[in-house]
């Protein structure tokens, strides 16, 4: 199974996906060729939920993200507005209080 880094999805692209994707996009996110993805589906070993719609396969994006190890965590507008600096300060304050992540 060969991997082409230029063909895999970037982190930003992964978060811009619709509710479900076609098998080619899912294969690209998983860094496998579409032929390998089809073989895995037929063997019952594809790492995501697979929906068969007529002759087409669709992969729910939430299932794909779980297979990629991406957690489903909420993002708050205030966090985005304050930027990464606020997150670092909050993490440091938690650390000083003896908290753990």
């Amino acid at each position: 199974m060969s991997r082409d880094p230029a063909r895999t999805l970037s982190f930003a692209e992964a978060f811009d996906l619709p509710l479900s994707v076609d098998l080619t996009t899912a294969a690209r996110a998983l860094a496998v060729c579409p032929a390998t993805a089809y073989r895995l589906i037929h063997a019952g070993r594809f790492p995501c939920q697979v929906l068969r719609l007529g002759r087409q396969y669709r992969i729910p994006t939430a299932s794909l993200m779980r297979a990629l190890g991406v957690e489903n965590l909420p993002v708050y507008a205030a966090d985005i507005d304050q930027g990464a600096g606020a997150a670092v300060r909050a993490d440091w304050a938690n650390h000083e209080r003896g908290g753990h992540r």
Side-chain angles (χ1 to χ4, degrees), residues 6-96:
R7 302 274 310 141
T8 60
L9 288 178
S10 71
F11 194 71
E13 287 175 313
F15 277 96
D16 202 27
L17 293 173
L19 290 176
S20 69
V21 297
D22 61 23
L23 186 60
T24 302
T25 302
R28 187 173 158 218
L30 295 166
V32 299
C33 72
T36 299
Y38 280 107
R39 282 194 297 276
L40 289 170
I41 287 173
H42 292 133
R45 296 181 51 219
F46 197 73
C48 308
Q49 178 185 8
V50 178
L51 305 173
R52 178 85 188 244
L53 304 172
R55 296 178 54 159
Q56 185 181 43
Y57 290 109
R58 298 293 296 179
I59 311 302
T61 300
S63 178
L64 176 61
M65 297 301 257
R66 277 191 299 276
L68 293 170
V70 178
E71 294 184 46
N72 188 13
L73 300 174
V75 175
Y76 300 101
D79 294 338
I80 294 170
D81 291 341
Q82 293 176 11
V88 169
R89 287 188 297 277
D91 191 43
W92 180 252
N94 184 42
H95 173 72
E96 286 184 330

